[in-house]
Amino acid sequence: MPDLSISVAVASMLGSEQRLETFLRRNAAPLARFDELILVIQGVRRDRFSGSAADTMIRALAPQARVFAMAEFGIGRSRNLALEQATGDYLWFLDDDVEVEPAAFESFATAIAARPAEVFCAEIANSEDGSPYKDYGSMRGRYCRNRGELLKRSSIEILVATAFCRRQRIAFNAHIGVGTPYPSGEEALFLLDALRAGAGIYFLAATVVRHPRRSYDLAKIGERHHLMSKGVILRRFGFFYGLGVIAEWTLQHAFKGMQPRHLGYLLAGFGRSRRILAGEP
C-alpha cells in the first residue's frame, strides 16, 4: 500500500453526548486504524466546551482525537471545518450514530492503492442485519458515469482527497443539509462540484459502515422544506435535467399519497435554488 494517511471526521452536537459516547466505545478499534480522528461538536462555543462533561468524556475515550467546538449549526459547516483542519491525504466523513466496519481502513487504503480517484464512495449496510442500506444497483466497482448517480450517495460513504478539495475550493454549502431549514442534499451538491472540477469519483464495492435502517415514510413527502431541499438540489444539476427528474418522481408517487402541494414544494425549491444556497431569505 502507498504511504498515505486517512483522517476521519465525526459530526456531533451538544446534547448528543450519550450517542457520541456509544459511538466512541463501539468503534474504538476500527477508528484506531486511521491516522487521525477529528470530532466536530456543534451548538457550543469552544470556551464553554473546554472542561465540560462532554469534553472530559471524549478525552477519556478518545485521547487521540482533535476536538473542535463551534456555536453554529449545519452539517455543511461541520464538514467544512473538518476539511480545513484535516492533516490526512484523504478524509472520511462520519456521523455519531454509525458503526464502523472493522476493515474500513483497509478497504479504503486498498482502493486508493489500486486506482486514481479524488473521491471514493463506499457502501452502507443496515445495522440490524447487515443487508445493503440502499439499492446500489450497478454503481459498484466502477467510476461515476453521470451526474444523476451522485443523487443516490450519502455523506458517510464519501472519502475525499483533501489537497484536491482545497486546491479546487470544493466545500459543502452551509445553507442546506441537517441543521438548516433545508435538511438534505448537501452531499449531492458537494459531489457535483467535485465532478465538475474534474474529480474522478469511484464507487467502491465495499461496506465500510453500518447505519440504523430508516423506512421510507410517506408522511415525509408532506414536509415542505424536505421537498424544497430536493428542488434546490435538482436545479443545480441543470434546468432541464432537474425538471425531468421532478416529472419522473411525480409520476412514480402519483398513486402513493402525493398531493399537488408536494409538487409545489419541489418547484418552489427549484425556483428559489440560487437564493437558498446563497443564504438569502
Side-chain angles (χ1 to χ4, degrees):
M1 293 183 186
D3 183 16
L4 57 88
S5 56
I6 303 177
S7 300
V8 180
V10 182
S12 188
M13 64 179 62
L14 187 69
S16 299
E17 290 85 357
Q18 185 173 356
R19 187 168 66 189
L20 180 59
E21 179 177 356
T22 299
F23 170 88
L24 293 173
R25 290 185 184 279
R26 181 169 55 196
N27 297 304
L31 287 176
R33 295 285 296 115
F34 289 85
D35 300 278
E36 180 180 48
L37 173 61
I38 296 172
L39 301 178
V40 180
I41 314 298
Q42 293 189 293
V44 59
R45 296 202 317 258
R46 177 71 228 183
D47 59 335
R48 294 190 176 182
F49 181 77
S50 182
S52 66
D55 189 26
T56 301
M57 177 269 292
I58 291 171
R59 297 305 173 191
L61 296 178
Q64 81 280 20
R66 297 176 63 205
V67 183
F68 299 90
M70 60 189 309
E72 302 85 358
F73 287 101
I75 192 66
R77 288 186 171 90
S78 174
R79 307 291 197 215
N80 287 339
L81 178 59
L83 262 176
E84 293 169 5
Q85 296 294 331
T87 62
D89 298 302
Y90 287 83
L91 174 62
W92 182 23
F93 302 107
L94 282 182
D95 298 329
D96 62 4
D97 60 348
V98 304
E99 299 174 53
V100 179
E101 286 291 298
F105 176 84
E106 286 73 19
S107 294
F108 282 133
T110 300
I112 295 168
R115 61 191 56 80
E118 288 72 30
V119 181
F120 292 89
C121 292
E123 298 181 0
I124 311 170
N126 287 305
S127 299
E128 293 79 4
D129 57 14
S131 61
Y133 186 76
K134 63 181 75 169
D135 181 9
Y136 290 97
S138 64
M139 294 188 300
R140 309 182 79 241
R142 64 168 175 81
Y143 287 94
C144 175
R145 294 172 183 165
N146 63 75
R147 57 191 166 175
E149 294 177 334
L150 305 179
L151 292 167
K152 303 175 182 178
R153 311 308 298 204
S154 303
S155 59
I156 61 174
E157 302 174 60
I158 300 172
L159 179 82
V160 299
T162 52
F164 172 82
C165 291
R166 292 164 184 163
R167 184 172 63 252
Q168 298 296 334
R169 298 183 180 181
I170 306 300
F172 288 85
N173 188 285
H175 305 295
I176 193 168
V178 174
T180 76
Y182 305 95
S184 66
E186 77 287 343
E187 61 274 268
L189 299 184
F190 178 85
L191 291 173
L192 178 63
D193 287 342
L195 184 68
R196 288 176 171 171
I201 301 178
Y202 189 83
F203 297 142
L204 183 60
T207 298
V208 294
V209 68
R210 296 190 181 207
H211 191 283
R213 180 185 281 112
R214 289 178 180 170
S215 60
Y216 184 74
D217 186 359
L218 286 178
K220 199 171 186 179
I221 295 176
E223 293 180 5
R224 178 173 180 265
H225 285 88
H226 176 79
L227 286 177
M228 286 185 69
S229 298
K230 294 184 179 298
V232 169
I233 299 162
L234 291 172
R235 179 63 183 87
R236 283 277 279 105
F237 273 68
F239 183 82
F240 293 108
Y241 181 88
L243 286 180
V245 174
I246 288 175
E248 180 182 359
W249 191 87
T250 301
L251 289 173
Q252 289 176 350
H253 294 84
F255 301 103
K256 299 180 181 180
M258 185 171 183
Q259 302 295 323
R261 69 176 185 279
H262 302 147
L263 176 59
Y265 297 153
L266 283 167
L267 293 175
F270 191 86
R272 296 186 58 209
S273 180
R274 291 184 181 179
R275 292 180 59 187
I276 290 172
L277 294 178
E280 297 178 8

